[in-house]
């Protein structure tokens, strides 16, 4: 690789190379058909490097991306440019959305909501979604399950040894608040110019809540849950690693 990786954004796609992007696209298609959503405009909150937005665009939707990381958006914009697609991206915090259009569908996938530090940010995000959702629109998001926090994210270590990028990922149970995890990632990236590996470290914090807590906050924001499922519908809510919510205005 000729790029000097100085930021997590530039190794994010490698870390997410096995992410179920196509399943998210199929899920969106399935739900929009089921509820006969007329429009195709989608706000992808926490869009990262734009991978899901690009796939949604190629599937016939009209996505707009929002992310807190300018570096992630830089990668997304470059990818869209290379594919000669028209996808607008905005640098905003999901808990303080403002000035955007109203959309037929708003999504927060890939557990992006779990990066919010506390309940106030989650509630503010739900309210911002409500403000930008069309009257007959749908709001869809996924979160880590409480079950996942207790198993896959409970003092576990994961690693990948690639030729150009390797990493060690430690997931520690959060100590300050329940249902939380502290991610400690160490990356080794090969640079062709120096013919050596460089190291950088990243620390991330995520937090989730029981389903009934999310439901209460959604209700406060004016939403009702029309579908609730685990792992794209493949598992029970009790055993699922990822919980999916499909919501509409009351």
């Amino acid at each position: 690789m000729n790029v000097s990786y100085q930021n997590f954004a530039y190794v994010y796609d490698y870390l997410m190379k096995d992410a179920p992007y196509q399943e998210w696209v199929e899920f969106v298609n399935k739900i929009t058909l089921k509820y006969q959503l007329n429009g195709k405009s989608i706000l992808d909150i926490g869009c990262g490097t734009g991978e899901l937005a690009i796939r949604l665009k190629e599937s016939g939707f009209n996505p707009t991306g929002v992310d807190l990381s300018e570096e992630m958006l830089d990668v997304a914009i470059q990818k869209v440019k290379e594919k000669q697609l028209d996808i607008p991206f905005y640098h905003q915090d999901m808990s303080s959305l403002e000035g955007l259009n109203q959309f037929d569908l708003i999504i927060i996938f890939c557990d992006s909501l779990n990066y919010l530090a506390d309940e106030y940010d989650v509630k503010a995000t739900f309210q911002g979604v409500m403000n930008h959702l069309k009257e007959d629109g749908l709001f869809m998001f996924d979160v880590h399950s409480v079950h996942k926090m207790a198993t896959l994210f409970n003092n576990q270590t994961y690693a990948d040894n690639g030729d150009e990028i390797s990493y060690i990922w430690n997931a520690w149970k959060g100590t300050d608040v329940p249902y939380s995890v502290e991610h400690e990632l160490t990356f080794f990236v090969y640079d062709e110019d120096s013919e050596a590996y460089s190291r950088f470290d990243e620390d991330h914090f995520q937090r989730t809540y029981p389903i009934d807590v999310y439901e209460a906050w959604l209700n406060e924001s004016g939403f009702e849950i029309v579908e609730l499922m685990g792992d794209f519908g493949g598992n029970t809510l009790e055993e699922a690693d990822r919980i999916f919510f499909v919501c509409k205005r009351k």
Side-chain angles (χ1 to χ4, degrees):
M1 290 186 177
N2 293 318
V3 178
S4 177
Y5 287 96
Q6 301 295 325
N7 192 282
F8 179 63
Y10 298 99
V11 296
Y12 180 80
D13 282 338
Y14 181 85
L15 187 64
M16 294 290 290
K17 64 182 185 296
D18 295 323
Y21 288 115
Q22 194 55 40
E23 289 184 79
W24 276 308
V25 172
E26 291 170 1
F27 182 68
V28 169
N29 273 304
K30 175 184 175 181
I31 295 298
T32 54
L33 286 172
K34 179 176 180 178
Y35 290 93
Q36 300 179 333
L37 200 65
N38 293 322
K40 292 286 188 176
S41 62
I42 297 182
L43 180 61
D44 181 8
I45 299 176
C47 65
T49 61
E51 189 64 31
L52 181 57
I54 288 170
R55 293 177 185 233
L56 288 168
K57 183 72 173 183
E58 293 172 340
S59 296
F61 292 94
N62 296 315
T64 295
V66 167
D67 203 274
L68 180 62
S69 169
E70 291 184 275
E71 291 80 10
M72 290 278 196
L73 293 176
D74 287 342
V75 175
I77 290 169
Q78 182 60 36
K79 287 162 70 172
V80 166
K81 182 179 179 181
E82 291 173 358
K83 289 180 174 289
Q84 298 182 327
L85 297 174
D86 181 18
I87 303 176
F89 292 102
Y90 295 93
H91 176 227
Q92 290 195 23
D93 186 327
M94 72 170 73
S95 64
S96 55
L97 297 172
E98 60 180 1
L100 302 171
N101 294 326
Q102 287 198 313
F103 296 85
D104 301 299
L105 177 65
I106 298 180
I107 59 175
I108 311 177
F109 286 151
C110 196
D111 51 80
S112 296
L113 193 74
N114 293 131
Y115 278 95
L116 298 177
D118 54 48
E119 66 180 83
Y120 304 103
D121 286 342
V122 177
K123 290 180 179 180
T125 298
F126 288 164
Q127 190 57 59
V129 169
M130 174 63 73
N131 294 340
H132 290 86
L133 188 66
K134 291 183 180 179
E135 191 68 30
D136 57 350
L138 291 174
F139 172 36
M140 300 160 57
F141 67 96
D142 64 45
V143 292
H144 291 313
S145 67
V146 170
H147 166 74
K148 187 173 186 178
M149 290 296 185
T151 54
L152 295 181
F153 284 162
N154 188 1
N155 301 334
Q156 299 291 328
T157 297
Y158 307 94
D160 187 88
N161 184 22
D163 292 334
E164 296 184 327
I165 302 174
S166 298
Y167 66 82
I168 301 171
W169 170 13
N170 293 309
W172 308 99
K173 183 178 180 180
T175 56
D176 295 332
V177 294
Y179 315 125
S180 63
V181 59
E182 297 175 16
H183 302 286
E184 181 184 84
L185 299 105
T186 299
F187 291 92
F188 300 91
V189 182
Y190 184 73
D191 182 75
E192 291 181 354
D193 296 332
S194 63
E195 297 185 343
Y197 286 88
S198 59
R199 168 181 171 169
F200 74 90
D201 300 285
E202 284 278 332
D203 293 317
H204 293 261
F205 173 82
Q206 288 186 300
R207 183 181 185 182
T208 199
Y209 304 88
I211 292 172
D212 60 342
V213 174
Y214 284 115
E215 183 175 14
W217 294 343
L218 287 163
N219 286 333
E220 287 178 22
S221 300
F223 287 108
E224 64 173 323
I225 299 172
V226 295
E227 291 212 30
L228 192 60
M229 65 192 73
D231 296 332
F232 297 101
N235 266 321
T236 65
L237 296 177
E238 293 74 24
E239 297 176 337
D241 293 331
R242 195 186 299 271
I243 307 297
F244 285 79
F245 293 75
V246 180
C247 313
K248 66 177 183 179
R249 291 173 180 267
K250 291 182 181 177

